Amino acid sequence: ITIRLYDLSGKKLAEFEGSSPSFSPDSRQILTQVRTKYGSKTRLYDLSGKELAEFEGSSPSFSPDQRFILAALPEKDITHLYDLRGNLLAQYLGSVVPPDRFVYGFDGRLRLGFTQDGTQILTLTGDGVLRVWDIDKGLEVDGGLDDLMRRGCEQLKNFRHREDVRRVCPEG
């Protein structure tokens, strides 16, 4: 699919590959979705049609401050956070693409993704759990088991009185 951008006089300004175009908050960049035989890709373009970066995932969105891009991998129940150069910064459990079976808000939409202030991300897991993530506390990319244990124990700090928690998360 080709997307074409025209000015108000009807002059073609640029072409972009993909579908579902989304402008950046300052209207200087465009995100598109591209379906491949291996899944979905997101592409970032400037308004001249120059491709700036490519990301794994679909349903892309800019952060309110335009520093980050979210892209969903609903088949893996994961959402990726990227910088504008296409570098994967973090992963979050759950998707920003709601499944059809969920009830939506008053305006008919379930709003997932960045919060208005851009400090948190809302995802919905495949088993129906709505999660709120601080942007800087995603699942570290290649953080390994030690990182996973450290973050898990941080979440359990108010339960250190329990013997089972102390066995898994010794203080230190």
Side-chain angles (χ1 to χ4, degrees), residues 43-58:
R43 293 195 176 141
L44 175 66
Y45 294 94
D46 67 16
L47 293 185
S48 74
K50 178 183 174 190
E51 185 178 322
L52 304 174
E54 184 175 86
F55 316 90
E56 183 181 10
S58 63

Side-chain angles (χ1 to χ4, degrees), residues 77-129:
D77 206 20
I78 293 285
T79 295
H80 284 174
L81 178 73
Y82 295 96
D83 66 17
L84 297 182
R85 289 185 293 248
N87 299 309
L88 179 60
L89 302 175
Q91 315 182 72
Y92 303 91
L93 183 61
S95 179
V96 292
V97 179
D100 292 337
R101 70 181 193 274
F102 285 92
V103 177
Y104 296 96
F106 296 116
D107 65 354
R109 297 183 63 196
L110 177 60
R111 298 193 193 286
L112 300 173
F114 290 105
T115 55
Q116 287 182 334
D117 65 3
T119 62
Q120 295 178 314
I121 295 169
L122 276 62
T123 64
L124 185 66
T125 61
D127 58 358
V129 176

Side-chain angles (χ1 to χ4, degrees), residues 35-72:
R35 301 260 181 238
T36 69
K37 65 181 181 178
Y38 303 108
S40 293
K41 296 283 185 183
T42 289
R43 293 195 176 141
L44 175 66
Y45 294 94
D46 67 16
L47 293 185
S48 74
K50 178 183 174 190
E51 185 178 322
L52 304 174
E54 184 175 86
F55 316 90
E56 183 181 10
S58 63
S59 300
S61 64
F62 285 97
S63 61
D65 64 4
Q66 200 174 311
R67 292 177 37 223
F68 305 111
I69 292 172
L70 281 181

Side-chain angles (χ1 to χ4, degrees), residues 4-14:
R4 292 174 183 86
L5 180 66
Y6 295 89
D7 67 14
L8 294 176
S9 72
K11 177 183 170 193
K12 184 170 73 170
L13 301 175

Side-chain angles (χ1 to χ4, degrees), residues 128-144:
V129 176
L130 186 64
R131 296 186 183 263
V132 179
W133 301 93
D134 290 333
I135 238 179
D136 59 350
K137 292 187 180 174
L139 303 175
E140 304 280 329
V141 177
D142 294 329

Side-chain angles (χ1 to χ4, degrees), residues 128-162:
V129 176
L130 186 64
R131 296 186 183 263
V132 179
W133 301 93
D134 290 333
I135 238 179
D136 59 350
K137 292 187 180 174
L139 303 175
E140 304 280 329
V141 177
D142 294 329
L145 183 59
D146 289 339
D147 179 63
L148 178 63
M149 290 297 297
R150 177 189 56 74
R151 288 183 288 108
C153 289
E154 185 179 304
Q155 295 295 317
L156 293 169
K157 66 184 173 190
N158 293 331
F159 299 93
R160 291 200 187 248
H161 63 281
R162 293 179 45 164

